Amino acid sequence: MEGVADSLNNAYQDFVAAAANVLQTKQNAGAQKTTATDAALENFKQKWESFKIVCDQSEEFVESMKQRIGSECLVDEASGHVAGKPGQATTTDLPPISAVRLEQMSKSVRWLVMELQHGSGTGAANSAPSHPSAAFDARFSEDAAQ
């Protein structure tokens, strides 16, 4: 995570330095268009593009961490490993779900979402599953005993 923050900071510093260089070069050229101002503007454009790329990469990293933390919290809560805050009850009315079962169900849901996003989910309810994770039986063994 430090590497992501460092690369974002470095790209930002390079971008700001390039902007300052454009202003200084224009001032030195008396606000006239010269090869030096053109070169400074080209460098500024390159630093701007680099900064945008690093921002996009940083945003992707943050999103992946949000998803990871959310998944871990979901697994902890579903499996009953929730550490409560002081004065707060840690038990729920729901029976715990095994982490393996939760992961299988999560994969099945992700597969179904991908199928729907790609438009191949139109006849999926009536057809046989074409993906191995779709064969997962979502019924719990505990449900069969009830």
Side-chain angles (χ1 to χ4, degrees), residues 11 15 18 43-53:
F15 172 65
N43 183 48
F44 174 75
K45 180 182 173 188
Q46 291 173 355
K47 299 302 181 185
W48 167 245
E49 292 299 323
S50 295
F51 180 62
K52 287 190 331 184
I53 290 169

Side-chain angles (χ1 to χ4, degrees), residues 24 31 75 84 112 115 131 140:
Q24 185 66 41
V75 168
L112 290 171
E115 286 288 312
H131 190 277
F140 298 144

Side-chain angles (χ1 to χ4, degrees), residues 8-146:
L8 184 59
N9 183 47
N10 292 339
Y12 175 75
Q13 294 301 327
D14 290 346
F15 172 65
V16 170
N21 185 39
V22 167
L23 295 174
Q24 185 66 41
T25 304
K26 277 196 162 257
Q27 185 179 16
N28 291 344
Q32 299 295 318
K33 184 176 180 176
T34 65
T35 56
T37 57
D38 286 346
L41 284 170
E42 183 60 34
N43 183 48
F44 174 75
K45 180 182 173 188
Q46 291 173 355
K47 299 302 181 185
W48 167 245
E49 292 299 323
S50 295
F51 180 62
K52 287 190 331 184
I53 290 169
V54 172
C55 284
D56 290 343
Q57 291 169 344
S58 299
E59 185 176 9
E60 288 173 12
F61 176 78
V62 168
E63 287 301 316
S64 71
M65 287 295 103
K66 282 173 43 179
Q67 289 177 355
R68 180 177 170 193
I69 290 168
S71 295
E72 288 174 359
C73 289
L74 180 62
V75 168
D76 287 348
E77 188 169 322
S79 60
H81 297 296
V82 180
K85 296 176 185 172
Q88 180 182 7
T90 59
T91 59
T92 63
D93 294 337
L94 301 173
I97 302 171
S98 77
V100 173
R101 173 166 277 128
L102 185 62
E103 183 62 28
Q104 288 173 335
M105 292 187 326
S106 176
K107 286 180 183 177
S108 294
V109 168
R110 277 183 267 160
W111 176 79
L112 290 171
V113 167
M114 288 183 348
E115 286 288 312
L116 290 171
Q117 287 174 340
H118 290 83
S120 61
T122 55
N126 298 329
S127 65
S130 61
H131 190 277
S133 67
F136 169 70
D137 186 359
R139 294 173 293 183
F140 298 144
S141 58
E142 300 89 56
D143 293 343
Q146 292 178 349

